[in-house]
Amino acid sequence: MARVVDLLQYLLEERGSDLLVKVGSAPCLRRNGRLERTTLDALRPEQIEALAAEILPESKAAEFQETGETDLAYSVPGLGRFRVNVYRQRGSVSLAIRRVVPGAPAIADLGVPPIVADLAAQRDGLIVVAGPAAAGKTTTASAMIDHINAANARHIVTVEDPIEVLHSDREAIVSQREVGSDTTNVADALRRISRQDADVVFVSDLPDADSVREALAVAAAGRLVIAVLNTLSATDTISWMIDRFPPHQQGSARSLLGRVLRGVVCQRLVDRADGRGRVAVVESLVGTHKVRDAIIDGGDPMLLERLMSEGEYHGMATFDQALFQLFSDEYVSLDEALERAIHPEDFRIAVQQAGLATLR
């Protein structure tokens, strides 16, 4: 009979980030962003059900029975922590397992631009760490929390679903709350932050309009809020947050967001030219006066994009500008850069004008 610990051990030995388990197919491994079929045996329905029963606590098992899916963090001594999603597909149980890298890395070790550390040094306001799924957002956000934890005597309260990276108290005190076991939902947790004497708040997701509204209110009250969102660009992030509000409230929402926004960092992972994994391409929008005014006046994406492209002095860069820098530094090949660029033809022209067309 297959055991969860055997699957987790396999994931670590193969240096994978994710393992997908479903009925009728051999488990699949994701390594450096690419999905690969393994040589493991396909599992029968009852085997996968037994695996799920092995890891699900009573509360999560009840949620799974009611909704057909649930998320949890799962720890094994000697192996580490894993994020697990248990879900049903075509009537059978499936598992998506993600390895959580132990501890929070230093910002300097991530290869991200200096603006990430600059934003983490803010005293108040809203910072959004955005990007598509599996783009390293949690890693970057955890590094920012660790940066604050190491440097400042502050109370950091996290609201996570689930808790992935464990933070020990350093200069700061860190209180980590998990949705489902420590609080009912994100919005309720944020609503009570003021009673917990928090200086910094980290939110692993803003799943609905209420949570967005409460996050803005917490930031407006003088606390630093770091939130993670699954959006594709900095401009998409601004639009997404405003669109959570009904039309008659969007004007006041833009005004509040413009007032509290300190920055958006939106990242994607691309293949390194040397074949040694992937590197983060980080688009950055900083809450300068011009950016805040643009958000308040309507958040026109074209205007925000232009302000980013012209905002190098403030640490801003569009995705293509950040990608061009990585290509210039030979971290990314020309083929990969052109495939990932938002505007590939403009990117090609910029490469030729810079005399870099021969770099691979």
Side-chain angles (χ1 to χ4, degrees):
M1 178 67 72
R3 300 184 306 162
V4 170
V5 67
D6 296 328
L7 294 177
L8 302 182
Q9 182 71 50
Y10 180 86
L11 176 61
L12 294 180
E13 290 175 353
E14 294 297 319
R15 298 176 180 268
S17 61
D18 302 80
L19 190 67
L20 307 179
V21 183
K22 67 183 286 285
V23 170
S25 298
C28 289
L29 182 80
R30 190 176 296 278
R31 183 163 31 203
N32 291 331
R34 291 183 169 84
L35 202 59
E36 307 171 6
R37 291 203 177 276
T38 70
T39 57
L40 299 175
D41 293 334
L43 299 179
R44 299 187 304 275
E46 63 272 16
Q47 291 178 299
I48 301 180
E49 290 174 6
L51 292 173
E54 183 181 343
I55 63 175
L56 289 176
E58 185 176 344
S59 60
K60 292 294 184 179
E63 180 183 354
F64 175 66
Q65 290 300 323
E66 180 180 351
T67 66
E69 56 194 339
T70 188
D71 292 295
L72 69 150
Y74 187 71
S75 298
V76 178
L79 293 182
R81 287 175 62 81
F82 302 83
R83 186 175 74 193
V84 184
N85 179 269
V86 185
Y87 63 99
R88 290 191 181 277
Q89 63 91 27
R90 297 174 62 181
S92 62
V93 179
S94 299
L95 306 175
I97 304 170
R98 171 164 294 179
R99 176 173 59 93
V100 176
V101 178
I107 291 178
D109 295 336
L110 296 180
V112 295
I115 189 61
V116 176
D118 293 344
L119 289 173
Q122 295 290 317
R123 297 293 301 178
D124 56 24
L126 173 67
I127 300 166
V128 180
V129 180
K137 301 183 298 296
T138 299
T139 300
T140 297
S142 296
M144 296 175 79
I145 293 300
D146 189 66
H147 186 81
I148 298 168
N149 188 15
N152 300 288
R154 309 178 79 182
H155 184 202
I156 303 169
V157 177
T158 76
V159 182
E160 303 175 67
D161 186 15
I163 293 173
E164 295 190 37
V165 178
L166 300 178
H167 294 274
S168 301
D169 294 349
R170 299 172 73 180
E171 291 297 315
I173 296 174
V174 186
S175 301
Q176 296 188 255
R177 310 189 70 204
E178 183 166 294
V179 175
S181 58
D182 300 315
T183 185
T184 54
N185 57 61
V186 173
D188 282 349
L190 291 174
R191 202 171 288 122
R192 291 170 170 78
I193 283 292
S194 62
R195 301 178 185 178
Q196 295 156 10
D197 194 30
D199 301 298
V200 179
V201 180
F202 167 63
V203 191
S204 67
D205 188 24
L206 297 175
D208 50 39
D210 285 344
S211 60
V212 174
R213 184 179 294 107
E214 294 300 331
L216 292 175
V218 171
R223 296 174 176 84
L224 179 64
V225 178
I226 301 174
V228 173
L229 287 179
N230 291 310
T231 45
L232 297 180
S233 70
T235 57
D236 284 348
T237 301
I238 301 301
S239 298
W240 186 91
M241 295 187 72
I242 297 301
D243 288 345
R244 298 311 97 192
F245 294 85
H248 69 279
Q249 294 181 357
Q250 289 184 1
S252 58
R254 279 194 296 269
S255 178
L256 181 55
L257 178 59
R259 181 157 58 91
V260 303
L261 184 70
R262 298 295 175 262
V264 179
V265 291
C266 186
Q267 65 184 58
R268 304 187 192 189
L269 299 179
V270 302
D271 292 337
R272 290 174 58 110
D274 58 10
R276 298 170 56 190
R278 295 181 291 171
V279 62
V281 183
V282 181
E283 180 177 76
S284 48
L285 176 70
V286 177
T288 63
H289 289 299
K290 288 184 178 180
V291 168
R292 294 177 187 178
D293 288 344
I295 293 172
I296 293 170
D297 292 341
D300 177 54
M302 296 287 288
L303 176 55
L304 291 173
E305 186 85 11
R306 180 171 63 79
L307 291 173
M308 269 195 296
S309 69
E310 298 173 352
E312 181 181 3
Y313 175 82
H314 299 286
M316 288 191 269
T318 65
F319 179 84
D320 281 0
Q321 286 175 325
L323 183 62
F324 185 86
Q325 186 61 55
L326 290 173
F327 167 71
S328 300
D329 294 338
E330 301 189 59
Y331 284 107
V332 179
S333 70
L334 179 59
D335 289 342
E336 176 73 359
L338 289 173
E339 181 179 342
R340 297 301 191 100
I342 305 300
H343 305 290
E345 287 306 316
D346 292 343
F347 193 95
R348 187 186 298 275
I349 293 171
V351 168
Q352 293 172 343
Q353 290 177 340
L356 300 175
T358 58
L359 282 180
R360 305 301 291 182

